[in-house]
Amino acid sequence: MFGGRTNTAWKGECGSEAFVAKLYSGPARNPLFPNDPDAERRLLLALADGGNTPVFRAQLQTESGVCNLYDHIPGEIWRDGVTDVARLMADLHAHPCPEGLRTVPDGSDALLKQGQEILSKSSDSPTLEALKPLGHVPASNLRRLLHSDIVPGNLIRNTSGLFLIDWQCPATGDPCEDIAVFLSPAMQFLYRGAPLTEEQIAAFFDAYGHPETATRYRALTPFFHWRMATYCHWQTDNGRTDYGAALTLELEALQRSLNSNPT
């Protein structure tokens, strides 16, 4: 199967039922998106009654690594319809959190620290250093269930609705984390070829339905864009040439956010 950027997956059949076998590549070198097969197993089991995630079947230890088996969800990768994503995300954030999940960085200081850690693994970037946001947004101390990688490639639409797949890096914390990854110009460009428009972003928040979260996200926007820019820079350093254009888009969004969020 194609689409994943970290692990390898195959579609198989057992009788009349189709399933996915995802072979994990091992602990992620990725500084932003972890890769944990046990976390995926726990989350799929915890969300089994929701109907918007694959049904987990088994976990196998193979000579090549850990392999999770779950039901295949037919359909197309999401390309439009931000209101459906917003409602799916709001439902997820209202779900009880299973135990044992990691916690995402919370607040501007933690986001800057994570971005700086990503930069430490990359070549020098005077542009990123110069655009590092100032100011302070305190931690929310929220504990919401997060997918933490809600990009178009992990959203599948069919006649039954919208489904969220690839749960290898779930977490708890500030719901702005999921929102920032989905709205990221870089991630939208890499998976569907173009960033979301301002009108689409406004429609997303209208459908999400939590004005206080929208307000907090806007305050954190420069910090999220800066962190994502450091990640794109790291990817280009590691030979992922498609992240070059993604980095440019994220830097442009960062500059706009700095202009609209003066310190």
Side-chain angles (χ1 to χ4, degrees):
M1 301 182 71
F2 297 96
R5 290 174 175 262
T6 302
N7 303 304
T8 305
W10 294 264
K11 179 184 174 184
E13 293 183 355
C14 183
S16 60
E17 301 296 326
F19 67 90
V20 172
K22 181 195 289 185
L23 179 65
Y24 275 75
S25 60
R29 288 181 57 247
N30 193 302
L32 189 56
F33 301 107
N35 193 41
D36 185 346
D38 290 325
E40 180 177 55
R41 174 183 57 81
R42 290 197 305 273
L43 261 296
L44 292 182
L45 290 173
L47 297 174
D49 296 334
N52 294 107
T53 57
V55 176
F56 180 82
R57 296 301 182 184
Q59 185 178 91
L60 309 175
Q61 182 65 55
T62 77
E63 293 180 357
S64 300
V66 178
C67 185
N68 283 346
L69 305 179
Y70 49 81
D71 288 0
H72 175 257
I73 296 177
E76 301 293 330
I77 291 175
W78 179 91
R79 295 194 60 82
D80 56 55
V82 294
T83 57
D84 292 338
V85 180
R87 294 182 185 119
L88 178 65
M89 204 181 293
D91 288 344
L92 172 65
H93 295 163
H95 195 282
C97 296
E99 295 298 322
L101 298 180
R102 68 190 179 96
T103 301
V104 297
D106 187 0
S108 59
D109 291 351
L111 291 170
L112 289 174
K113 180 181 178 182
Q114 186 179 30
Q116 204 65 56
E117 289 171 350
I118 296 172
L119 274 184
S120 71
K121 305 175 188 295
S122 312
S123 61
D124 291 342
S125 174
T127 298
L128 281 168
E129 291 291 353
L131 289 175
K132 188 175 181 179
L134 302 175
H136 175 69
V137 180
S140 69
N141 296 316
L142 293 172
R143 190 171 182 270
R144 302 288 186 263
L145 178 58
L146 309 174
H147 180 282
S148 89
D149 190 16
I150 302 182
V151 295
N154 289 336
L155 292 160
I156 302 296
R157 188 193 295 280
N158 61 32
T159 55
S160 297
L162 192 63
F163 296 82
L164 191 50
I165 63 171
D166 280 358
W167 282 87
Q168 62 258 25
C169 52
T172 63
D174 186 350
C176 290
E177 178 76 17
D178 272 347
I179 294 170
V181 171
F182 177 70
L183 298 184
S184 161
M187 294 296 103
Q188 288 289 331
F189 168 77
L190 288 166
Y191 285 95
R192 58 185 284 274
L196 297 173
T197 65
E198 290 300 319
E199 291 76 15
Q200 288 173 313
I201 293 172
F204 172 90
F205 281 113
D206 285 344
Y208 184 78
H210 295 273
E212 70 284 356
T213 302
T215 299
R216 177 173 173 79
Y217 169 77
R218 292 186 182 100
L220 285 167
T221 297
F223 303 95
F224 279 121
H225 284 316
W226 187 78
R227 183 190 63 173
M228 186 59 77
T230 68
Y231 175 71
C232 292
H233 177 62
W234 176 83
Q235 287 281 19
T236 60
D237 269 5
N238 283 272
R240 300 294 296 273
T241 57
D242 52 342
Y243 276 83
L247 173 58
T248 298
L249 289 169
E250 204 70 37
L251 287 172
E252 291 172 351
L254 170 59
Q255 187 64 72
R256 289 194 299 271
S257 69
L258 291 172
N259 293 339
S260 61
N261 289 273
T263 57

